[in-house]
Amino acid sequence: TLQVTPYGAGTVEALDTGRVDAALTGQDAPSRRFRFQRLFDETMVWVVRKGHPLAEGQLTLERLRDTPHILVSGFEDPFDAESAPGGPGLRYRRGWDRQESQPSELDRRMPPRKVAVLTPDSVSALAIAARSDMAALVPRRLAEGSGGVGRVSILPELLPPFTLEIGAVFREDRLVDPAVAWLSRILAEAAQGL
């Protein structure tokens, strides 16, 4: 049975106990007991609802900054190599545009922006952006897919695009299990078409 659950504080424990065979994530650096299998790269884009003023005229960092933002903050239960339950765990991004190691260009070049809504995932951020006057940073494939077609405008790039490596995380020692090895192969094959 394939069961999909949210990535969160219990993910490391679920991987450790075998309740979960793989976690799909934008991974920074797995610890030694996990293997990160790169599946594809995802480019992040800013979106606003169709007809939004930002989609008209020249887009500037100032105009983007002054627009209320929807922040994807679904990764707020940080695991790191030191504090993960049961020992060393995963380190991962805390949100698409909140990486401590690489502050967003918007944060570096502008005064603080207006975060109006915090949402746990990109699907929710896209839905809110499509029905409001706020902007959201979401994966390009999501914005171009059925969730965004006809409902949002993808804003022109102001800066070099932010690309996130998406992959599957497995317990290193579980990859010898034939079922887990099969899952790893199937995920890799499916990702080739993206």
Side-chain angles (χ1 to χ4, degrees):
T1 302
L2 177 64
Q3 180 179 352
V4 179
T5 60
Y7 191 90
T11 303
V12 169
E13 180 184 356
L15 283 165
D16 277 338
T17 61
R19 289 191 328 266
V20 170
D21 294 319
L24 301 179
T25 182
Q27 181 66 33
D28 279 330
S31 73
R32 288 173 296 204
R33 75 178 195 263
F34 295 104
R35 179 183 298 170
F36 179 74
Q37 176 183 325
R38 184 192 163 281
L39 297 174
F40 60 92
D41 292 335
E42 182 61 79
T43 301
M44 305 304 289
V45 295
W46 285 98
V47 296
V48 293
R49 67 169 168 75
K50 287 283 187 188
H52 190 285
L54 276 184
E56 308 294 326
Q58 181 180 357
L59 180 64
T60 64
L61 283 175
E62 290 82 7
R63 288 184 68 206
L64 180 58
R65 182 221 45 220
D66 290 341
T67 299
H69 291 180
I70 303 159
L71 180 66
V72 176
S73 63
F75 309 112
E76 286 303 311
D77 296 310
F79 309 54
D80 61 39
E82 307 308 318
S83 65
L90 304 175
R91 291 186 300 157
Y92 62 96
R93 287 181 166 81
R94 294 176 69 168
W96 297 132
D97 59 350
R98 286 180 18 174
Q99 310 122 56
E100 289 77 17
S101 61
Q102 180 184 1
S104 74
E105 187 66 20
L106 204 55
D107 289 339
R108 281 198 298 272
R109 292 176 51 181
M110 295 292 160
R113 57 193 165 139
K114 298 182 228 174
V115 175
V117 174
L118 295 174
T119 183
D121 58 70
S122 296
V123 173
S124 298
L126 182 68
I128 294 167
R131 293 174 178 85
S132 72
D133 284 333
M134 295 179 266
L137 185 66
V138 300
R140 178 178 291 281
R141 286 181 184 92
L142 178 64
E144 292 175 343
S146 61
V149 171
R151 298 176 37 208
V152 297
S153 295
I154 296 174
L155 298 177
E157 291 178 7
L158 290 170
L159 307 162
F162 166 48
T163 302
L164 182 64
E165 190 174 69
I166 303 294
V169 176
F170 298 89
R171 271 290 301 257
E172 183 77 39
D173 58 349
R174 300 253 1 255
L175 284 166
V176 298
D177 179 309
V180 177
W182 170 85
L183 178 59
S184 173
R185 282 192 310 275
I186 291 296
L187 289 172
E189 289 170 12
Q192 287 178 2
L194 297 178

